[in-house]
Amino acid sequence: EAQVTQNPRYLITVTGKKLTVTCSQNMNHEYMSWYRQDPGLGLRQIYYSMNVEVTDKGDVPEGYKVSRKEKRNFPLILESPSPNQTSLYFCASSWGSRAHSTDTQYFGPGTRLTVL
Amino acid sequence: SQQGEEDPQALSIQEGENATMNCSYKTSINNLQWYRQNSGRGLVHLILIRSNEREKHSGRLRVTLDTSKKSSSLLITASRAADTASYFCASVSGSARQLTFGSGTQLTVLP
């Protein structure tokens, strides 16, 4: 089944404790992206990747890191989480020809993160 | 900053009625997409309309795009209780094809 998976689905942690949220897709998509969703703000893009070893900042990249060593995986790293990073996080992927890299995005189920 | 603004923020209708949601955006776009989100779940792509298109249909969905007004609308006809969800527009612009979401419309369809 074609899908985007994220782990963990739920995470409660404390300020400053490094964490990684994994994202994997099995559709051979080139484009992958991370979003955070907060009430009243919709989805805001954190980072995106057009292809392996190519990553770029989105609208709200501060406090986050990503890597794209393999096509299928795009982990989100919080080196020193803070309470303002408490949010619902979504990973997404899409086909990546340069002309149509975000024509249809496939979303993962979400990771609800709470930073105490 | 949010590219898209949606109107209304919340909409409650009876089953069988039509639901219309509007979206405005600020800069030139390549295409505009509509997504649906059931509570706390991932978004599901509904329909895409390109900047050179004015109207598009998919089943009970009808999307219009007015690039002169930088706005789009999503019409769901003959709504069902199962259509209850949040609906987001997302504009695609720039050479990197960045996707920018609006704040969404919460649709409730009452049985």
Side-chain angles (χ1 to χ4, degrees), chain A residues 35 37 40-45 48 50 58-59 90 98-105 107-109, chain B residues 1-2 31 33 35 37 40-43 45 48 50 88 92 95-103:
Chain A
Y35 298 89
Q37 184 177 28
L41 295 177
L43 279 83
R44 293 178 293 168
Q45 191 177 52
Y48 64 96
M50 302 283 278
D59 294 320
F90 290 101
R98 179 145 283 271
H100 303 289
S101 60
T102 53
D103 272 358
T104 298
Q105 292 212 355
F107 281 79
Chain B
S1 62
Q2 287 291 306
N31 65 68
Q33 304 172 31
Y35 287 81
Q37 182 183 34
R41 295 178 179 264
L43 280 74
H45 181 264
L48 178 153
R50 300 194 187 282
F88 294 88
V92 178
S95 57
R97 297 300 205 266
Q98 191 171 358
L99 198 68
T100 304
F101 284 84
S103 53

Side-chain angles (χ1 to χ4, degrees), chain B residues 80-97:
Chain B
R80 306 165 182 168
D83 293 329
T84 294
S86 292
Y87 292 82
F88 294 88
C89 69
S91 56
V92 178
S93 60
S95 57
R97 297 300 205 266

